[in-house]
Amino acid sequence: MTDLETRVTPPGSATLRRAAPALLGYAAVRALGLLALVLWSAARDKSAYPLLTARWDALWYTRVAELGYGYEVRLPNGDVHSNLAFFPLLPWLERLLHAVTPLSYADAGFVVSLLASFAAAWGVFAVADQVYGRRAGVCAVLVWAVLPVGIVQSMAYSESLFTALAAWSLYAVLTGRWVTAGALASLAGLTRPVGLAVVAAVWAAAVLSFVRDRETSTADAPARRGAAAGARTASRVLGMLLAPLGVAGYVLWVGHHTGKGPLGYLDVQAGWRNGFDGGYAFARFVADKFTSFPSALAGVALIVGVALLLWLYTVCVRQRQPLALLVYAGAVLALALCASSYFGSKPRLLLPAFPLLLPLALALARLRTSRSALVVGCLAAASAVYGAWWLNGSGPP
């Protein structure tokens, strides 16, 4: 696979001023989503804030922040839901913010996720700007913001924090900052198990860079060339060594904590009925939808959705995205679709796979500004209404 040559980084390409239009657009979309949630919840005599901070996984994170690990719930069917399934970086940040401010743990989780969502939007812009230019970067952020499950970006969940770390790690790879890339990949690995996707992206890009260095000859003096090559090699090696430390460290700690060895974390996930089965359970879930007519429509929608994701990834390959982006997006996609986890969570598990949106961002960037604004506005309104309805209903698991 050939790799797209990334653009030369202009001075200040990742500065806040350059990203300002994207971040302002992102803020507008998120504000619309929160407004819709508040109005919808009020119409049902409910408060919107607990939906963002005190339900589902948010409760597990705040419990870890407040009481640490060791809590579990035993269900009547024998399943054991342990809070060891939740990686520690978000609870650590919640605990830190709670310690230095009057905020509760739940409030701290909301603030961390809110700030992380803007850092993620900025990172998405930086990556898209680096590869395709500023207009495409703005469009990439807006497309990411108006996803149907975009409301999760405003919840006290770890998706925003993970996406921020992953995006900036990928940007560091694209700009040759290998130590930074490895450090951010390690932090991403402390946030979610899918941190493995960031590690794989850093490693793949580093190996490709090694191969290119060996194939490239320069006109510099041998001694000078050797010194420069040695510095680049040391930087890449250090980045590669740092990248897996987060996910490996937590998984090994869980194994030690449970007394079940290096694979102990898999047992914890099995208690939640999570695992990697190559997509077999998901395929059966889709097939079961065709047992009756109303649910068959949902089955068709699921098949179309998966086909769209695979098509987008194919387009990413054809457009010759940088190898790091392809490896990262492919790994996130594979882990989401091929896991036997709760199937309703798959849309939000795909939220960090922003490189899949770059073909859509490019198409949007080619439109006239008035047309692209109309498209984004309509999608933002639809996303806001869907998010409000979703959180007031079944919501994310």
Side-chain angles (χ1 to χ4, degrees):
M1 181 183 300
T2 56
D3 194 31
L4 176 68
E5 294 293 341
T6 55
R7 299 167 344 108
V8 176
T9 308
S13 65
T15 61
L16 186 59
R17 178 179 296 180
R18 185 174 178 84
L23 297 181
L24 289 173
Y26 179 78
V29 174
R30 290 272 50 82
L32 180 62
L34 292 175
L35 176 61
L37 178 63
V38 169
L39 295 176
W40 194 294
S41 301
R44 295 169 57 88
D45 294 323
K46 297 171 66 175
S47 172
Y49 191 64
L51 298 178
L52 300 171
T53 62
R55 289 185 70 185
W56 306 295
D57 290 5
L59 287 174
W60 287 90
Y61 282 119
T62 55
R63 187 175 284 114
V64 172
E66 183 177 5
L67 303 174
Y69 286 106
Y71 176 80
E72 62 183 29
V73 175
R74 295 183 177 272
L75 303 183
N77 65 357
D79 290 346
V80 178
H81 288 183
S82 168
N83 64 359
L84 289 169
F86 297 88
F87 276 49
L89 185 58
L90 178 57
W92 285 348
L93 294 176
E94 291 177 349
R95 183 181 300 175
L96 175 62
L97 192 57
H98 170 75
V100 300
T101 69
L103 296 175
S104 68
Y105 290 105
D107 294 339
F110 178 74
V111 172
V112 169
S113 294
L114 179 66
L115 296 176
S117 71
F118 278 89
W122 189 1
V124 171
F125 168 82
V127 170
D129 179 31
Q130 176 68 19
V131 180
Y132 294 119
R134 188 182 189 187
R135 185 175 176 86
V138 173
C139 291
V141 171
L142 294 176
V143 173
W144 186 66
V146 301
L147 290 173
V149 293
I151 190 64
V152 175
Q153 298 161 6
S154 299
M155 297 179 67
Y157 271 43
S158 61
E159 273 78 9
S160 290
L161 179 60
F162 175 78
T163 305
L165 294 167
W168 283 107
S169 178
L170 292 171
Y171 177 75
V173 168
L174 296 177
T175 54
R177 298 173 173 88
W178 294 102
V179 176
T180 300
L184 292 172
S186 183
L187 290 174
L190 283 171
T191 308
R192 298 186 63 83
V194 75
L196 288 171
V198 191
V199 176
V202 172
W203 276 58
V207 169
L208 178 62
S209 184
F210 279 125
V211 172
R212 284 179 171 172
D213 273 1
R214 296 192 65 176
E215 293 176 348
T216 301
S217 59
T218 68
D220 292 338
R224 188 175 178 182
R225 183 172 70 245
R232 289 195 301 271
T233 298
S235 175
R236 282 193 294 261
V237 169
L238 182 55
M240 293 176 72
L241 291 175
L242 287 172
L245 292 183
V247 64
Y250 181 68
V251 167
L252 291 175
W253 178 83
V254 170
H256 174 75
H257 183 77
T258 59
K260 296 183 178 180
L263 301 182
Y265 183 75
L266 298 181
D267 290 337
V268 171
Q269 287 286 5
W272 288 80
R273 294 188 180 271
N274 292 337
F276 190 87
D277 62 1
Y280 174 73
F282 185 43
R284 287 192 58 185
F285 173 77
V286 175
D288 288 343
K289 294 294 182 181
F290 290 92
T291 57
S292 62
F293 173 70
S295 64
L297 297 177
V300 172
L302 287 171
I303 292 174
V304 171
V306 171
L308 176 61
L309 290 169
L310 297 178
W311 174 77
L312 283 174
Y313 188 74
T314 301
V315 174
C316 291
V317 174
R318 289 177 177 174
Q319 291 180 345
R320 302 178 66 190
Q321 282 187 14
L323 181 63
L325 301 188
L326 293 176
V327 170
Y328 168 75
V332 174
L333 184 61
L335 290 172
L337 295 183
C338 297
S340 58
S341 57
Y342 179 71
F343 304 111
S345 67
K346 291 190 181 296
R348 71 174 178 87
L349 296 180
L350 288 164
L351 197 60
F354 68 90
L356 293 176
L357 304 175
L358 294 185
L360 301 179
L362 282 174
L364 186 64
R366 296 188 185 105
L367 298 177
R368 288 185 297 182
T369 301
S370 58
R371 290 186 178 180
S372 60
L374 178 62
V375 171
V376 170
C378 292
L379 292 175
S383 175
V385 171
Y386 177 79
W389 169 80
W390 188 41
L391 287 196
N392 277 277
S394 60

